[in-house]
């Protein structure tokens, strides 16, 4: 049984906008310590969910308990245990890297200048920015800016860290580095919530995940569990141009690679007939596509 003082518990969470649109519908979740993935397409309700969790938006109804605090009644206490890196995080152009982090630390309650300086230096080392501490934050590379963003979220040693689409726009090497940094942080008995539409970010780091679609929880569990749903549903085949067009009109194609003047493709479907298809092991992206396609079919049929 999960200790309510060491997790986030969400019951009956709803958000309805003034125009009547349901951004979130009856969300029930228990989010434990460690890396937790929030996956879903654009418009699924992820950003609304994030804004509610960081106390920037009020839900229409529901309950949220974060490490023993009632989020709706104890916002000040919750913010003290919370670190947040929004997708559109902005830096102050006039600050150097260490000055910006020092400013963030002072806002987080570091009143002792000596302790604050030590904490800033230690955090810059941890995120790999100590050597560029005197560079203006606005002149850092995209990956360095994201690392500085996570540094400001971590500087006060929070229990809950929420990051929204943190690897969007990063090159593959910087994306891996950022994911490894988050994974390292999650080993300190904290909850790291990673909201993303990039499937690889979830499969590489998270032991638990939830799939949001049109404001509802479509799946909750481990990546391994959602993978089981796609076993026997992923196919590899070699096709010519005409066949590629035919297959693309019938099934979701997840991979297309040139192969000896033809195409080697991967397709997600319950079954494939007539194309000499070979069944292959699914990855999380395949499982995500299969799950979303079946959800779409269910809504269409009802």
């Amino acid at each position: 049984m999960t200790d309510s003082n060491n997790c986030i518990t969400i019951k009956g969470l709803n958000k309805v906008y003034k125009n009547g649109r349901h951004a979130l519908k009856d969300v029930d979740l228990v989010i434990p310590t460690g890396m937790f993935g929030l996956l879903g397409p654009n418009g699924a309700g992820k950003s609304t969910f994030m804004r509610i969790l960081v106390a920037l938006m009020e839900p229409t109804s529901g309950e949220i308990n974060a490490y023993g605090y009632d989020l709706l009644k104890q916002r000040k206490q919750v913010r003290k245990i919370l670190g947040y890196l929004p997708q559109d995080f902005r830096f102050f152009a006039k600050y150097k890297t260490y000055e910006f982090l020092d400013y963030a630390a002072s806002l987080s309650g570091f009143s002792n200048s000596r302790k604050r300086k030590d904490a800033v230096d230690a955090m810059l080392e941890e995120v790999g920015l100590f050597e560029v501490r005197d560079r203006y934050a606005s002149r850092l590379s995209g990956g360095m800016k994201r690392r500085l963003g996570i540094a400001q979220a971590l500087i006060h040693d929070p229990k809950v860290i929420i990051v929204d689409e943190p690897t969007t726009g990063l090159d593959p090497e910087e994306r891996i580095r950022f994911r490894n940094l988050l994974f390292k942080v999650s080993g300190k008995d904290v909850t790291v919530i990673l909201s993303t539409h990039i499937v690889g970010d979830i499969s590489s780091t998270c032991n638990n995940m939830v799939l949001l679609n049109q404001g509802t929880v479509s799946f909750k569990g481990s990546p391994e569990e959602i993978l089981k749903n796609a076993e026997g549903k992923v196919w590899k085949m070699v096709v010519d141009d005409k066949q590629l067009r035919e297959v693309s009109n019938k099934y979701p194609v997840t991979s297309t690679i040139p192969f000896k003047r033809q195409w080697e493709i991967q397709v997600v479907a319950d079954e494939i007939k007539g194309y000499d298809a070979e069944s292959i092991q699914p990855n999380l992206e395949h499982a995500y596509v299969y799950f979303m396609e079946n959800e779409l079919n269910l809504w269409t049929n009802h």
Side-chain angles (χ1 to χ4, degrees):
M1 187 173 182
T2 306
D3 182 356
S4 62
N5 290 323
N6 289 290
C7 67
I8 300 171
T9 304
I10 300 163
K11 296 180 180 178
L13 186 65
N14 286 274
K15 179 62 181 180
V16 184
Y17 289 110
K18 291 182 179 179
N19 61 5
R21 184 175 74 85
H22 254 89
L24 295 172
K25 303 175 187 177
D26 298 321
V27 174
D28 293 312
L29 284 175
V30 175
I31 304 177
T33 57
M35 287 286 291
F36 185 90
L38 177 62
L39 183 64
N42 292 328
K46 300 191 306 297
S47 293
T48 298
F49 186 56
M50 294 291 98
R51 290 177 64 81
I52 290 173
L53 286 184
V54 299
L56 292 176
M57 178 185 289
E58 289 193 10
T60 304
S61 62
E63 301 175 11
I64 304 175
N65 184 287
Y67 282 78
Y69 295 111
D70 185 330
L71 176 63
L72 305 183
K73 297 178 181 178
Q74 298 172 288
R75 289 172 177 263
K76 187 175 181 180
Q77 291 91 328
V78 169
R79 283 178 175 144
K80 286 182 179 180
I81 66 166
L82 180 71
Y84 179 43
L85 175 58
Q87 183 178 1
D88 58 349
F89 187 69
R90 293 287 184 267
F91 298 91
F92 297 101
K94 65 179 180 179
Y95 285 129
K96 293 181 179 180
T97 296
Y98 82 89
E99 290 174 332
F100 174 82
L101 194 53
D102 182 78
Y103 175 69
S106 65
L107 291 179
S108 298
F110 279 89
S111 56
N112 184 297
S113 59
R114 180 72 244 179
K115 289 183 179 179
R116 189 168 69 243
K117 181 182 183 303
D118 290 343
V120 167
D121 286 347
M123 184 55 64
L124 288 173
E125 282 279 9
E126 184 166 354
V127 300
L129 293 177
F130 191 82
E131 292 184 0
V132 295
R133 66 195 308 276
D134 292 315
R135 187 181 301 178
Y136 282 97
S138 59
R139 295 182 180 178
L140 296 174
S141 68
M144 287 179 175
K145 286 180 179 178
R146 299 307 281 174
R147 279 186 268 148
L148 182 55
I150 199 64
Q152 64 80 31
L154 297 175
I155 192 67
H156 60 297
D157 198 24
K159 295 296 294 180
V160 180
I161 301 155
I162 297 175
V163 288
D164 191 2
E165 301 284 357
T167 65
T168 300
L170 300 185
D171 62 47
E173 183 179 348
E174 193 63 62
R175 181 176 293 165
I176 291 171
R177 182 171 187 169
F178 194 88
R179 290 196 306 230
N180 288 341
L181 176 60
L182 289 179
F183 188 73
K184 179 182 176 182
V185 171
S186 70
K188 300 178 180 179
D189 289 329
V190 301
T191 298
V192 179
I193 301 175
L194 171 60
S195 173
T196 183
H197 69 282
I198 300 174
V199 178
D201 288 348
I202 301 291
S203 60
S204 301
T205 54
C206 299
N207 293 323
N208 294 283
M209 62 173 286
V210 66
L211 176 59
L212 267 186
N213 199 10
Q214 297 196 353
T216 65
V217 175
S218 298
F219 170 86
K220 52 185 173 182
S222 68
E224 290 77 19
E225 288 176 90
I226 198 172
L227 275 173
K228 290 179 182 177
N229 294 325
E231 287 182 0
K233 314 295 184 183
V234 184
W235 311 87
K236 182 174 72 173
M237 66 194 82
V238 176
V239 295
D240 58 27
D241 290 343
K242 180 183 177 182
Q243 291 172 323
L244 176 60
R245 288 191 294 270
E246 291 174 354
V247 173
S248 298
N249 288 331
K250 295 178 182 178
Y251 312 106
V253 177
T254 61
S255 173
T256 306
I257 302 172
F259 180 79
K260 297 180 180 180
R261 298 186 180 181
Q262 293 182 301
W263 303 96
E264 181 182 282
I265 64 175
Q266 294 180 10
V267 174
V268 176
D270 286 323
E271 60 179 347
I272 298 286
K273 294 181 179 179
Y275 294 99
D276 194 24
E278 172 192 352
S279 179
I280 62 173
Q281 280 296 112
N283 58 33
L284 192 60
E285 183 173 1
H286 295 136
Y288 173 61
V289 171
Y290 180 73
F291 209 94
M292 296 300 292
E293 283 294 315
N294 278 283
E295 286 260 310
L296 181 62
N297 290 337
L298 286 172
W299 291 327
T300 302
N301 294 332
H302 289 82

